[in-house]
Amino acid sequence: MTTAASRGLDPEVYRGDFPILSQGVRDGRPLVYLDNAATTQRPRQVIQAMVDTYEHHYANVHRGIHWLAERTTELYEAAREKVRQFINAPAGEQIVFTSGTTGAINLVARSWGDANVRAGDEILVTEMEHHSNLVPWHQLAERTGAVVRHLPLTEDGRLDLAPFDALLSRRTRLVAVTAVSNVLGTINPVEEIIRRAHDVGAVVLVDGAQSVPHLPTDVAAMDVDFLAFSGHKMLGPSGVGVLYGKRDLLEAMPPFLGGGSMIRRVTLEGFDPGDVPARFEAGTPAIVPAIGLGAAIDYLAAIPADAIHEHERRLVERAHEALASVEGLRIIGPPPEDKAGIVTFTLGRIHPHDIAQLLDRHNIAVRAGHHCAMPLHRRYRLSATTRASFYFYNTPAEVDALAGALDQVRQVFQRRK
Ligand code: PMP
């Protein structure tokens, strides 16, 4: 059978929807946007959904009894339902809108963590985590006296699962792991990790910031306890993200932020918290961003999810081949078949900031630095790297432009020696 993925996805079909991609940045040359792991661009449909809301459907949610408030509440709750379907969650109550992946992980660390983690308990992270999936656990450990342990990385950028069973024990309360590394692009075997962690009774939080936008996600099949992701990395606006949680876990969790909307009853003596998910959405939420995220999901859901991954894999393969011809360039991470759309590299002794600045002169946008993953960089004895990251709207020609520009960067530095 010919699947959409095997036929291949044609980025040109979609590029016209993204106003920013056709914008000449300098000298009328088009922008080559290869910084999608930092944030993606938005199609007109998402921008328009937000403009429409502000122009026609805007009031506060879950408060007013006037028709406008009811209309906005309907749109906000419809967005929750779209998220539910997109990740195959059993019920809408299991979708909590947060400010982003960082907000979602901090919510779990503060609420679930403070209620369930005690001195001597262990939290198992990995050496490839983004700071968002490290610092909240360090903070939890500081508050409770728990210990943070970690799974190491192999030289070629994969999780080393050999010591996993030795690291797991009845003391392990939580395993926090990213589904896809934001630096190496590595796709981790999260289902196996979840199964083995559950065997010792540990809860698993998966950081889906780099996976949900790019790979099919089914929380029911994964059997994951918590999944966190961000709207702005999947065509939606910044300011909104999602925490999915198993119902029994969410229902047992105390609220973290207190305020309006999250209560059933308040007296001068105390309060009764509301039901989930309202219990975790104190105050006026990111109403329009959530509705924008719903529109982003409409857009993404119309593209076969496996076709997105397959297209990005082809771009990564092409990048690995093309960059191999640039003298002195070293790609950090596993081969293309084990990666999502991320290629991170060093180029001789040229500082990544200089590389990114020179690429910018070619109108090529990449990211340089430690990418909020300092422990990972230390593991490879690096202080910084350069990262090109793709989405379904990137083209093979853009990969070639990157390779060509990098060769020129190399020549500029060789001349300076
Ligand atoms: N985890 C990973 C793997 C990420 O790539 C990012 C964003 N770079 C985050 C967490 C944090 O996401 P946000 O800034 O949207 O909260």
Side-chain angles (χ1 to χ4, degrees):
M1 200 178 78
T2 317
T3 62
S6 65
R7 276 200 306 275
L9 173 156
D10 179 4
E12 296 302 340
V13 168
Y14 305 102
R15 288 180 71 87
D17 290 334
F18 292 79
I20 226 168
L21 297 180
S22 55
Q23 169 178 281
V25 173
R26 211 173 287 142
D27 308 330
R29 282 187 297 179
L31 169 68
V32 176
Y33 186 74
L34 303 180
D35 197 13
N36 293 287
T39 197
T40 59
Q41 298 301 341
R42 269 133 284 283
R44 208 168 265 116
Q45 290 85 336
V46 170
I47 298 166
Q48 198 54 47
M50 296 199 289
V51 170
D52 281 349
T53 307
Y54 279 126
E55 287 187 349
H56 304 293
H57 312 295
Y58 184 75
N60 212 329
V61 292
H62 298 304
R63 285 167 173 76
I65 43 171
H66 53 81
W67 71 269
L68 199 55
E70 280 176 12
R71 176 76 189 123
T72 314
T73 303
E74 270 169 28
L75 290 171
Y76 181 73
E77 288 306 318
R80 194 190 308 278
E81 172 58 18
K82 289 172 189 180
V83 173
R84 183 198 73 73
Q85 284 182 20
F86 193 64
I87 61 169
N88 194 32
E93 290 78 14
Q94 294 170 264
I95 306 297
V96 180
F97 283 125
T98 64
S99 59
T101 305
T102 306
I105 296 173
N106 276 275
L107 169 57
V108 175
R110 287 278 171 176
S111 170
W112 180 89
D114 282 6
N116 290 282
V117 174
R118 300 279 167 267
D121 285 349
E122 293 178 0
I123 300 154
L124 185 56
V125 298
T126 87
E127 209 173 3
M128 67 163 69
E129 297 311 311
H130 186 281
H131 297 165
S132 285
N133 204 21
L134 283 176
V135 180
W137 308 121
H138 287 311
Q139 291 175 305
L140 175 62
E142 277 174 13
R143 290 195 299 280
T144 60
V147 179
V148 177
R149 308 188 75 185
H150 71 267
L151 261 179
L153 293 181
T154 62
E155 200 55 38
D156 65 349
R158 291 175 231 254
L159 286 181
D160 182 0
L161 290 183
F164 190 34
D165 283 334
L167 283 164
L168 278 178
S169 76
R170 291 274 157 206
R171 283 191 302 275
T172 315
R173 302 293 296 141
L174 180 101
V175 176
V177 59
T178 191
V180 169
S181 162
N182 67 311
V183 181
L184 308 166
T186 319
I187 300 173
N188 289 324
V190 282
E191 292 190 15
E192 181 189 344
I193 291 170
I194 291 166
R195 197 167 26 80
R196 286 163 72 174
H198 283 172
D199 284 347
V200 298
V203 161
V204 181
L205 177 140
V206 169
D207 175 346
Q210 300 294 347
S211 65
V212 175
H214 303 274
L215 302 170
T217 303
D218 182 333
V219 289
M222 284 163 85
D223 196 25
V224 66
D225 300 297
F226 294 112
L227 175 75
F229 54 100
S230 298
H232 69 96
K233 293 187 199 278
M234 51 190 290
L235 312 182
S238 57
V240 70
V242 172
L243 173 67
Y244 158 82
K246 281 194 180 154
R247 189 188 274 271
D248 55 337
L249 290 169
L250 289 176
E251 283 179 349
M253 279 161 53
F256 164 42
L257 293 177
S261 289
M262 48 68 71
I263 43 80
R264 190 187 311 281
R265 201 173 68 98
V266 182
T267 63
L268 289 175
E269 287 74 36
F271 74 98
D272 293 328
D275 292 331
V276 295
R279 184 189 304 170
F280 303 115
E281 294 181 8
T284 299
I287 300 168
V288 177
I291 293 168
L293 174 57
I297 287 177
D298 285 341
Y299 192 97
L300 280 177
I303 309 171
D306 57 348
I308 293 180
H309 175 47
E310 181 56 24
H311 177 70
E312 290 170 7
R313 203 183 54 74
R314 287 180 195 175
L315 294 178
V316 166
E317 247 169 31
R318 193 178 182 108
H320 272 239
E321 272 170 32
L323 298 195
S325 64
V326 180
E327 200 186 310
L329 191 143
R330 183 165 73 96
I331 292 174
I332 321 290
E337 58 271 21
D338 295 335
K339 300 215 294 193
I342 290 174
V343 178
T344 291
F345 55 88
T346 56
L347 179 50
R349 298 178 64 81
I350 310 174
H351 196 284
H353 286 163
D354 291 333
I355 297 172
Q357 213 158 26
L358 287 172
L359 289 177
D360 183 52
R361 292 195 191 155
H362 296 258
N363 292 341
I364 299 174
V366 297
R367 171 109 184 246
H370 55 62
H371 318 295
C372 300
M374 282 183 169
L376 180 152
H377 279 78
R378 180 179 298 166
R379 161 67 178 82
Y380 297 110
R381 297 167 296 281
L382 297 165
S383 58
T385 50
T386 308
R387 177 183 75 186
S389 52
F390 308 119
Y391 211 9
F392 62 87
Y393 44 63
N394 288 121
T395 66
E398 290 180 311
V399 173
D400 297 346
L402 172 69
L406 280 169
D407 203 45
Q408 291 187 29
V409 171
R410 180 192 62 78
Q411 287 174 33
V412 167
F413 274 83
Q414 212 161 35
R415 277 201 298 274
R416 283 189 193 168
K417 268 201 220 158

